[in-house]
Amino acid sequence: MTRRRAKHRMASKRTNKTLSLSQKQNIIEAVDNGTKKIDVAKQFEIAPSTLTSILKKRDFILQSSPSSKAKRQKLPKFPDVEKALVLWFRQCRESNLEVSGPLLMEKANFFAKKLNVNNFKASNGWLDKVKKRNNITYKKICGKSAAVDENVCLEWKEKLKDLIKYYDANDIFNADETGLFYKCLPDHTFCFKDEKCHGGKHSKERVTLLFAANMDGTEKLKPLLIGKSAKSRCFKNIRTFPAEYRYNKKAWMTTEIFNEWLQMLDNSMKSQNRKIVLFVDNCTAHNRYPDLSYIKVEFLSPNTSSVLQPLDKGIIKNFKTLYRKDMVTNLVSCIDGKREFVFTLQTSMLMAYKAWMNISQSCIQN
């Protein structure tokens, strides 16, 4: 009888009940509701020591997805960094601040340094695991290409060879305008899966920017920014600007503004004794340009800008990405420092110039 009892005890010890994540969450909920631990252990048919182990991991279990089919969740390698990051992320979402992946990784590296965590470096793989463990997903907050005739594009490319054969790559320029809601934050953000994806009110204050660069990416011309205000308060007592500034009621490009910019560029080329060719689209503001001595203006074929316009092939998109990243980084810095984020037209001009100058030569060449 004694041997049989010993065998029975050994067999019962070897029998481990595997609990799903959902069951573990129900156990924690039962304890939180005031049920005695011994009664909870009996109800779920687990040992008191198992219950104790579950309660020690309560924060991790409650943050994990209840719909997960996995029986066991791997614990984070750097729990303190992850805990600080998730707490900061919650605070950002409570403030309706849009948060991207690179920003989360940058902040994680910041927390690791503050917490003296060695051998940590945030990566996309690490971030994916954090998102999965903490129920974080990527949503849009509630580029287009027109139908282009391929034959027209092919004809243009053949014509292009003759247009540029007498010019070096550094003397072949492309200019293009883009609209910018300069106070507007990105419209995508990470958020918790069970969270309604709301952002703050998006500003509709718009400016127009004119960019120009040469073919080999060695020269990016000073941007032209068009706003609505003739005398903005933020420009008071400022004598030099990182960009040319013009204005009209709608902050649009006009024939007068474009012609003035062309004349300035022509004078610049004259001082360098240099002749260039400039490719632009055939919008109305570009059509009636003045006589120029050092610039030859060539128009892209109508309705082909989305395919033939070099600046539209990723350069302007790169500019806007760099601009938004800088804007969000400054905003987060103000939130962390509990400072008011003051964003003016002057701030936008400085950030636009910085983003434009940070576009690499290889990006323009490509």
Side-chain angles (χ1 to χ4, degrees), residues 201-220:
K201 185 177 180 181
H202 281 230
S203 170
K204 299 299 182 183
E205 292 189 54
R206 179 185 181 279
V207 295
T208 296
L209 285 157
L210 173 68
F211 295 119
N214 63 355
M215 186 175 177
D216 62 4
T218 57
E219 189 173 358
K220 297 189 289 282

Side-chain angles (χ1 to χ4, degrees), residues 71-235:
K71 296 293 183 179
R72 298 176 186 271
Q73 289 277 345
K74 189 175 179 181
L75 293 173
K77 188 176 180 181
F78 304 98
D80 292 339
V81 175
E82 184 169 326
K83 185 176 180 181
L85 183 67
V86 172
L87 178 61
W88 176 83
F89 176 65
R90 287 185 183 278
Q91 292 171 345
C92 288
R93 288 308 302 148
E94 287 170 2
S95 301
N96 288 325
L97 176 65
E98 290 81 358
V99 183
S100 64
L103 193 58
L104 282 173
M105 289 191 286
E106 181 182 335
K107 201 64 185 177
N109 288 326
F110 169 81
F111 284 131
K113 187 176 180 180
K114 286 290 185 182
L115 295 169
N116 295 319
V117 177
N118 298 321
N119 302 321
F120 175 84
K121 185 177 181 181
S123 64
N124 288 324
W126 174 84
L127 183 60
D128 287 341
K129 292 174 184 176
V130 171
K131 290 188 289 181
K132 189 178 292 184
R133 280 194 290 263
N134 295 281
N135 215 10
I136 296 172
T137 188
Y138 195 57
K139 295 179 182 179
K140 179 174 172 56
I141 298 173
C142 316
K144 63 181 181 178
S145 178
V148 177
D149 190 330
E150 292 184 6
N151 293 326
V152 173
C153 293
L154 290 173
E155 290 175 7
W156 165 257
K157 289 177 182 178
E158 289 299 319
K159 177 184 175 184
L160 181 62
K161 295 176 184 178
D162 293 328
L163 293 175
I164 65 175
K165 65 181 179 181
Y166 297 116
Y167 294 90
D168 294 329
N170 65 318
D171 290 329
I172 301 169
F173 282 79
N174 174 224
D176 192 26
E177 297 95 348
T178 184
L180 180 69
F181 293 101
Y182 68 94
K183 290 185 178 181
C184 192
L185 291 165
D187 62 355
H188 281 73
T189 181
F190 281 109
C191 62
F192 295 99
K193 287 183 180 178
D194 57 354
E195 173 191 2
K196 289 186 178 179
C197 194
H198 295 305
K201 185 177 180 181
H202 281 230
S203 170
K204 299 299 182 183
E205 292 189 54
R206 179 185 181 279
V207 295
T208 296
L209 285 157
L210 173 68
F211 295 119
N214 63 355
M215 186 175 177
D216 62 4
T218 57
E219 189 173 358
K220 297 189 289 282
L221 299 183
K222 192 175 183 179
L224 169 67
L225 188 148
I226 306 170
K228 293 182 179 180
S229 303
K231 295 181 180 180
S232 181
R233 290 181 181 177
C234 62
F235 292 153

Side-chain angles (χ1 to χ4, degrees), residues 232-246:
S232 181
R233 290 181 181 177
C234 62
F235 292 153
K236 189 177 181 180
N237 298 325
I238 296 178
R239 296 181 180 179
T240 58
F241 296 88
E244 298 292 341
Y245 180 73
R246 300 294 182 270

